[in-house]
Amino acid sequence: MRLSRWMIGAGAVIAAGSVASVAVAQEVGKASAVNPAATANLRTISIGQSIAHKERIKTTDKGSVQILFIDKTSMTVGPNSDLTIDEYVYDPNAGTGKLAARLGKGALRFVGGQISHTGDAEIKTASATVGIRGGVAMIGPGFVFAGYGSSTVTTQGGTVTLGAGEFTQTPGGGQPPSPPAPPPPNFVQSLIQSFQSAPGQSGGAGQGTASRGNVQRAEARATGSPNGAVAGSLTPQPPPTPLPAINQVASSLNQTIQTSTQQAAVQRVERPTKTLVGFVGGLMTSLLTNYSTYQSASVGTLEGTLTGAVDGRGLVNAEATGSVTQSPGSSGYLPGSFTYRYDTQGGYYVAEPAKDANGQPTSTIDHMPIYDQSGFAVMLSGAAAQQYGDAIRPGLTVCSCDYTKWGLWQSSSQQTVAGSNYQHVAIGYWVAGRPTSAGEVPLSGSASYVGHVIGFDNSSGNVAGNLTTSVNFATRTGSVAVAGFGGVDYSGSLALSASDPRNITASLTGLGRTMNLNGSFFRGVASPVGEMGGNVSISGPSYIGAGIFAAKMQ
């Protein structure tokens, strides 16, 4: 969708003016573009006019309005809609405030700003009250769709909490919202289309005033940034999260991942938890430090197992244990083993490093204590997983797994070894599923699986590829291929363990590199071996990489 099309077609954009304090917060902003079929308090909105809270905004069958609030919250009000801004207060110094609005009829698209990140944004409809935290939502008569973040939907009959990509119906009449589920086919696309302008509408601008230059200047005024944009997309695209080159590792390793993941955290809801078992894979760097100056570094791949508790919204807690293999040619100290523990402190579904009663990390490296640990572990699923995968490699066939979950984790910590101070930086992925028993693995027949491989390497950073496998259960053998992992195609054979047929190993080659897979069958909806997952390690001349794979039976 082109920027100019949004500016002209969305309706009114209320520019974010600067305010000195909460006391001067009657004005929400100013209108920089508007379709004439939209009114505020029965006055036609025109360019340059202010919009304040307590105002009632109505649109006809050809009207649409986009409002950008001072805290950068955005609302797009569709045709035949009636919205009242009941309350809007924002303190830019503290970054806190409150937003409350009533949607009398029609539909709106909400993109959360600073207020929604503190959990105080609420939209009421005739049948429900929707609390939005840090995300994107589309709300209308009898439905709520969460595009990103979380939305708590309450009716007289009960409450549900939606995660990214989930949809609920709000029938009213004392009935509870429907259970969270994917939206109906083409629902999101058709709703987005309804927010766009009809042919011939100009957004209230005179001829020539909606030029690309004027649009950019209007957006700069609205967002306070020369490169600001008010349009956005349905679901904010997380930036790719590259690992810096191993010989250039800095203490700010992968801050982008940590920041974007924390912003995507959703509020915890109480649901039954499931214990999953699985694998971890990634890279570790250990740096000798002296007065904050890195003197030497050693890097290796890490592989291990994970046991974690997961519910319908995310990772509750996890323990990852395993070993580290030093990269050929690297020098310096590198630990041989690790145990990283995470839990959901504070009730958010971004698990943080676990701590004991004294506030010290319970994680260990080489069975020795560490200190000053920071990091996170987060689960990706549904639309968020596909979105993240597409950001790493467009068109990635992210596993559409039923029970198997996967996500990202990171840790940075300090440790004293033999009188020397080290910083250990570990980053990788985890995958876990519902275990099956050895006796449930078929003795005959065959199956194919499709999914993805994702990890980190010392060349490109964050890399991913499409995974396809075929398994012959009678011969306990099969084939496997990984396409486009870091721009390289790999192929090879796999084998089921003779002692435990649940376990899978595979060796692949491509462009002079070797990729080893180590994993297991997991339970799926239709079969006890319906899914699979594990870790991967890749090596070659001046190249190392590691990560995880996940796939589902076709």
Side-chain angles (χ1 to χ4, degrees):
M1 185 183 305
R2 288 199 302 267
L3 193 62
S4 58
R5 184 180 181 187
W6 255 103
M7 284 295 298
I8 297 172
V13 179
I14 309 304
S18 64
V19 292
S21 68
V22 177
V24 232
Q26 289 294 316
E27 183 182 282
V28 171
K30 295 185 183 297
S32 61
V34 62
N35 283 323
T39 64
N41 285 352
L42 303 183
R43 60 184 173 88
T44 299
I45 303 173
S46 60
I47 293 175
Q49 284 190 319
S50 299
I51 298 292
H53 76 273
K54 300 293 184 184
E55 290 214 82
R56 183 178 179 184
I57 297 173
K58 301 179 70 175
T59 60
T60 68
D61 60 347
K62 293 183 175 60
S64 56
V65 177
Q66 187 176 7
I67 306 170
L68 181 66
F69 293 85
I70 295 170
D71 73 309
K72 306 302 172 64
T73 293
S74 171
M75 284 191 204
T76 301
V77 184
N80 282 323
S81 297
D82 188 341
L83 176 74
T84 300
I85 305 170
D86 288 327
E87 185 173 3
Y88 182 81
V89 178
Y90 178 57
D91 181 352
N93 296 319
T96 58
K98 183 175 182 179
L99 188 159
R102 283 177 294 126
L103 185 64
K105 68 174 184 176
L108 67 82
R109 173 182 177 268
F110 179 100
V111 179
Q114 186 61 45
I115 288 177
S116 76
H117 289 300
T118 61
D120 225 347
E122 181 180 275
I123 306 293
K124 290 185 177 180
T125 70
S127 58
T129 299
V130 185
I132 306 170
R133 187 176 184 89
V136 176
M138 293 196 288
I139 303 167
F143 71 84
V144 178
F145 171 74
Y148 198 68
S150 70
S151 296
T152 302
V153 184
T154 301
T155 69
Q156 292 181 351
T159 299
V160 300
T161 300
L162 305 179
E166 292 185 329
F167 170 90
T168 185
Q169 292 180 305
T170 56
Q175 299 183 54
S178 63
N186 300 319
F187 171 83
V188 174
Q189 293 87 337
S190 62
L191 194 57
I192 291 175
Q193 185 67 34
S194 72
F195 293 136
Q196 299 176 3
S197 63
Q201 291 182 331
S202 65
Q207 184 175 4
T209 58
S211 65
R212 177 173 295 275
N214 284 351
V215 166
Q216 292 174 343
R217 284 187 286 274
E219 291 202 324
R221 290 194 299 272
T223 62
S225 168
N227 300 313
V230 300
S233 60
L234 172 63
T235 304
Q237 293 292 322
T241 51
L243 180 74
I246 296 304
N247 59 358
Q248 299 174 352
V249 175
S251 59
S252 59
L253 172 68
N254 213 38
Q255 186 66 35
T256 303
I257 296 178
Q258 188 167 358
T259 301
S260 62
T261 306
Q262 288 173 340
Q263 289 175 344
V266 296
Q267 193 169 21
R268 179 173 182 171
V269 294
E270 296 301 327
R271 289 192 174 193
T273 59
K274 298 288 186 181
T275 299
L276 304 181
V277 296
F279 304 83
V280 295
L283 298 181
M284 174 180 277
T285 303
S286 293
L287 305 112
L288 178 64
T289 62
N290 182 22
Y291 304 107
S292 301
T293 300
Y294 299 133
Q295 295 179 326
S296 65
S298 181
V299 64
T301 59
L302 55 88
E303 297 181 60
T305 61
L306 176 138
T307 300
V310 180
D311 71 3
R313 288 294 169 268
L315 187 67
V316 179
N317 56 58
E319 178 178 289
T321 60
S323 61
V324 186
T325 301
Q326 186 155 331
S327 171
S330 63
S331 61
Y333 165 73
L334 189 69
S337 65
F338 62 89
T339 298
Y340 288 114
R341 299 183 179 96
Y342 299 87
D343 64 33
T344 50
Q345 303 169 24
Y348 291 94
Y349 277 74
V350 173
E352 301 174 0
K355 297 179 180 179
D356 61 19
N358 298 319
Q360 296 302 310
T362 62
S363 300
T364 61
I365 296 178
D366 270 352
H367 308 289
M368 296 184 293
I370 60 175
Y371 59 96
D372 289 347
Q373 185 186 17
S374 62
F376 62 89
V378 65
M379 185 179 86
L380 298 170
S381 60
Q386 184 62 61
Q387 172 196 347
Y388 183 90
D390 283 339
I392 306 303
R393 183 186 184 278
L396 186 68
T397 56
V398 173
C399 178
S400 58
C401 298
D402 298 312
Y403 298 142
T404 301
K405 307 297 182 184
W406 65 280
L408 187 69
W409 65 278
Q410 187 256 347
S411 172
S412 177
S413 62
Q414 303 287 331
Q415 188 179 43
T416 301
V417 180
S420 297
N421 295 326
Y422 291 87
Q423 182 182 28
H424 302 301
V425 180
I427 186 166
Y429 289 93
W430 62 268
V431 60
R434 298 187 186 181
T436 187
S437 66
E440 292 177 304
V441 179
L443 298 175
S444 62
S446 62
S448 60
Y449 297 77
V450 172
H452 68 283
V453 178
I454 190 166
F456 293 93
D457 68 10
N458 65 336
S459 175
S460 304
N462 215 336
V463 287
N466 295 328
L467 171 70
T468 56
T469 72
S470 62
V471 178
N472 186 319
F473 291 105
T475 63
R476 298 296 201 248
T477 60
S479 61
V480 57
V482 176
F485 186 87
V488 178
D489 295 337
Y490 296 82
S491 62
S493 59
L494 65 81
L496 278 57
S497 170
S499 59
D500 189 339
R502 293 174 297 180
N503 297 330
I504 308 164
T505 58
S507 179
L508 302 80
T509 57
L511 199 65
R513 299 172 183 172
T514 299
M515 176 185 288
N516 292 315
L517 278 67
N518 175 50
S520 174
F521 289 110
F522 292 136
R523 190 173 298 277
V525 169
S527 170
V529 291
E531 298 172 359
M532 63 169 62
N535 51 36
V536 303
S537 60
I538 312 99
S539 61
S542 303
Y543 180 90
I544 60 166
I548 58 95
F549 70 91
K552 179 181 178 181
M553 183 187 293
Q554 300 303 293

